[in-house]
Amino acid sequence: QYVKGNSDMKKLLSNARFYTMISENDYYDSVLIENGNILKMFKTKPELTGIEELDLNSAFVYPGFIDTHTHSFEGGLYNLGTYLGDISTLKDLFAKLSFSQPISNKIFAYGFDENKIKEKRFPTASELDRIFPDKPVFIRRVDGHSSAINTKAAAQIDWQQPLPAPFTGHLNRSWNGRASNWFHRNLDEDSILNAYFTAAEIAIKKGHTTVHTMIGDAHSDPKHFRLIKNNLRRFPLEYILYPQITDCQVAKDLGASRIGGCILADGSFGSHTAALKEPYNDQPESHGTLYRTDEFWEKFILAAHKENLQIAVHCIGDRAIEQILKCYELAQHQYPKDLRHEIIHNELTSDETLDRLKKARISAVMQPMFDRLWAGPGGLYETRLGKERTSRTNRLASIYQRNILLTGGSDWYITEINALKGIDAAVRIHNPAERLTPFQAVKIYTSNAAALSFDEDKIGTLQNGRQADFVCLKEDIFQSNNISNIAITQVIKKGKLLL
Ligand SMILES: [Zn+2]
Ligand SMILES: [Zn+2]
């Protein structure tokens, strides 16, 4: 499956519009590649003799997409499991579950949203027991912040303390974390690798050649990380790995250059657990929850910063963002460094917070699809936050214009891994003031995304010496009114044809 013949030989890719993504309207007609890299780019097709040629059929070509925030393991694993995002009653759920194929003798289902079904609740453990009395069942809510399990699962999971009584099967917060961790950890190595291979295939189909992936969670041992790191070369795309732990020494021992991921400063708007400065609109007594103390974060962030680890933390609400930002500022004040620490999600922000992010050289790793799904009129964000605060969610343009390193991601499995959908959502953010131009939107999935992992000299733009990573489209993103649905014709990684 090489671009005609040996991948080390020179080849000319022609008959296309290659957007460099260095500046707007900068494009070439043909690209000569060798050894998986771009050798030379041409404005008009050169007359070369004895060089193999691949005609790209008038495709529009961009640097291979980079998703800077995924949980690819869950993405791959749940894809092998059962999808519950399209059901409308609990009866549908039970019917679908009964056809579920076990993975390592466990049942996985994902994408469940109790608000979208008639009964407006989770299934109970005893209801699940009726279908699966002998196999552990794990049903994950669409945002990952809660779940339902059956009695068999409850009996096997190591809870470390007695389950709250009466036990219904519905799990929140750390109970949810322990359960998901147990399910993920108790898979054999083949099932784990299989989940990552499945994830890579799905990502490539949507035009990605590099994917940042969170591994394990704050509770887990580093088994997955080692396994994936040792097998990195076998995957058809590049995975950028994040050990989701808070022990710097373990990260160093693993040979990681970063630490964290969706380690939680707070929860989600959906479950009223995102930490807010002002109370929830629909729960005036609640400000959400900071999951850990200032002292914990200060200690962790200063230690990781000192060890030159790039840090990533999940922050949704304005109070959580400020809690983490304060620690980043302190670290940068003590030892100024270019580590591009990440605030993942970075959903609800004020101008003042954004100015501080810029000053502390923090990266914003964001999910434009969150806006598309939840920030519309009468949607989840308006219910939880009211109109004024909803207009201050997902402030892509304000962040981009401040020159904060802004990158795009799907948070897959939370939303589908699909850069074109993310780009489309970014140019159509509900608040018109926060929309990116199509060029800016592509940058957050290419050149900006490359900079997040310090790979800007290798990927993310098309120029001489860069990796030959391309996504070829049937239509031009910069001219399209329907970006989400543009057909992907080819995906090329290091000169190798993957799709
Ligand atoms: Zn995440
Ligand atoms: Zn997260």
Side-chain angles (χ1 to χ4, degrees):
Q1 275 214 329
Y2 291 87
V3 177
K4 286 191 187 169
N6 187 327
S7 79
D8 296 340
M9 281 171 56
K10 280 184 195 170
K11 272 145 229 138
L12 186 70
L13 310 188
S14 66
N15 187 21
R17 178 176 284 198
F18 290 87
Y19 282 110
T20 65
M21 292 312 296
I22 297 165
S23 57
E24 237 166 312
N25 290 314
D26 185 23
Y27 57 83
Y28 290 80
D29 169 88
S30 315
V31 170
L32 187 64
I33 62 171
E34 183 185 38
N35 293 325
N37 290 320
I38 297 173
L39 197 60
K40 202 166 161 45
M41 305 179 64
F42 304 91
K43 290 282 183 188
T44 52
K45 191 181 155 187
E47 289 302 324
L48 302 171
T49 45
I51 300 276
E52 287 183 51
E53 190 180 326
L54 180 70
D55 186 314
L56 292 175
N57 279 320
S58 311
F60 296 88
V61 184
Y62 305 81
F65 295 140
I66 303 164
D67 189 316
T68 54
H69 186 73
T70 74
H71 302 261
S72 285
F73 169 67
E74 285 94 327
L77 177 69
Y78 297 163
N79 202 270
L80 300 167
T82 301
Y83 176 64
L84 296 176
D86 53 2
I87 57 161
S88 45
T89 63
L90 280 177
K91 202 175 149 214
D92 295 348
L93 181 147
F94 301 133
K96 259 198 137 171
L97 264 193
S98 61
F99 289 104
S100 204
Q101 289 300 318
I103 304 163
S104 271
N105 207 31
K106 297 170 190 65
I107 300 296
F108 289 88
Y110 67 106
F112 177 73
D113 186 347
E114 75 282 15
N115 299 315
K116 275 168 72 178
I117 64 168
K118 199 180 86 201
E119 295 84 352
K120 308 273 178 223
R121 66 169 177 89
F122 279 74
T124 64
S126 48
E127 285 167 338
L128 296 172
D129 291 345
R130 270 176 241 148
I131 318 172
F132 293 108
D134 309 319
K135 285 188 181 58
V137 177
F138 184 50
I139 293 178
R140 205 155 196 200
R141 193 180 187 280
V142 58
D143 65 3
H145 288 266
S146 47
S147 55
I149 59 169
N150 65 347
T151 305
K152 187 75 185 173
Q156 291 194 7
I157 296 168
D158 169 23
W159 298 106
Q160 293 163 22
Q161 52 180 308
L163 272 169
F167 174 69
T168 60
H170 180 208
L171 304 172
N172 257 317
R173 295 196 54 179
S174 64
W175 302 105
N176 173 51
R178 286 223 179 87
S180 70
N181 180 244
W182 180 86
F183 272 89
H184 297 165
R185 215 179 32 205
N186 285 287
L187 293 177
D188 50 44
E189 287 199 350
D190 281 349
S191 298
I192 297 169
L193 285 173
N194 195 15
Y196 281 96
F197 277 113
T198 306
E201 269 171 32
I202 295 168
I204 288 164
K205 278 195 190 122
K206 300 295 178 189
H208 304 85
T209 51
T210 302
V211 169
H212 291 231
T213 187
M214 313 303 118
I215 301 195
D217 54 43
H219 310 277
S220 78
D221 61 48
K223 174 176 137 189
H224 283 211
F225 192 94
R226 262 197 210 101
L227 180 67
I228 301 312
K229 190 160 178 271
N230 291 338
N231 286 281
L232 268 187
R233 291 226 168 84
R234 294 173 58 193
F235 297 109
L237 53 60
E238 267 170 276
Y239 277 126
I240 309 280
L241 310 182
Y242 290 65
Q244 290 198 118
I245 54 176
T246 52
D247 187 325
C248 299
Q249 194 50 51
V250 174
K252 291 300 260 187
D253 293 346
L254 286 167
S257 53
R258 55 186 62 79
I259 188 167
C262 269
I263 49 172
L264 306 179
D266 64 345
S268 70
F269 292 134
S271 50
H272 292 99
T273 47
L276 303 178
K277 291 168 79 170
E278 303 297 329
Y280 278 90
N281 251 45
D282 57 344
Q283 258 185 26
E285 71 288 358
S286 165
H287 286 74
T289 319
L290 288 175
Y291 282 10
R292 310 224 204 194
T293 62
D294 293 351
E295 293 70 38
F296 170 84
W297 288 116
E298 191 177 309
K299 195 168 162 228
F300 163 61
I301 287 172
L302 289 180
H305 185 79
K306 206 170 167 197
E307 292 287 352
N308 298 320
L309 292 164
Q310 182 180 30
I311 306 162
V313 182
H314 157 120
C315 307
I316 299 271
D318 47 4
R319 198 151 56 98
I321 292 166
E322 287 183 27
Q323 183 188 36
I324 299 306
L325 175 56
K326 224 164 78 189
C327 302
Y328 282 155
E329 285 172 333
L330 187 63
Q332 284 290 46
H333 181 74
Q334 290 184 355
Y335 308 98
K337 289 176 184 176
D338 180 17
L339 290 171
R340 306 179 195 178
H341 296 317
E342 304 175 21
I343 296 222
I344 295 179
H345 310 309
N346 196 41
E347 288 222 52
L348 177 59
T349 52
S350 64
D351 283 345
E352 190 227 330
T353 299
L354 295 184
D355 292 339
R356 285 170 57 192
L357 279 176
K358 170 64 190 161
K359 209 168 159 214
R361 304 170 80 178
I362 304 309
S363 320
V365 179
M366 298 180 61
Q367 291 70 39
M369 274 305 288
F370 286 5
D371 177 89
R372 183 94 323 252
L373 292 172
W374 299 313
L380 174 75
Y381 289 3
E382 265 191 24
T383 312
R384 296 283 188 271
L385 306 172
K387 279 197 164 68
E388 188 277 326
R389 278 187 297 187
T390 297
S391 75
R392 289 193 287 110
T393 56
N394 294 301
R395 302 186 63 196
L396 300 188
S398 297
I399 292 167
Y400 194 99
Q401 282 151 15
R402 278 171 171 79
N403 259 320
I404 293 166
L405 181 62
L406 170 65
T407 72
S410 57
D411 204 9
W412 189 38
Y413 61 97
I414 307 293
T415 76
E416 176 193 344
I417 184 162
N418 188 328
L420 285 173
K421 277 195 174 177
I423 290 165
D424 198 357
V427 303
R428 297 195 295 131
I429 292 286
H430 284 93
N431 176 358
E434 297 300 349
R435 289 177 188 161
L436 297 184
T437 67
F439 181 74
Q440 294 168 339
V442 174
K443 275 183 84 78
I444 72 172
Y445 287 91
T446 55
S447 55
N448 280 24
L452 188 67
S453 54
F454 299 83
D455 286 319
E456 60 267 43
D457 294 333
K458 196 177 96 183
I459 54 175
T461 54
L462 304 185
Q463 47 186 313
N464 298 350
R466 295 294 193 272
Q467 235 166 252
D469 291 4
F470 309 109
V471 55
C472 308
L473 307 183
K474 206 156 185 173
E475 270 178 72
D476 189 347
I477 295 175
F478 304 137
Q479 306 295 333
S480 172
N481 292 318
N482 191 3
I483 297 171
S484 291
N485 293 315
I486 297 177
I488 294 170
T489 52
Q490 264 136 340
V491 179
I492 296 168
K493 175 78 186 169
K494 292 185 187 167
K496 209 172 161 181
L497 196 57
L498 298 179
L499 182 83

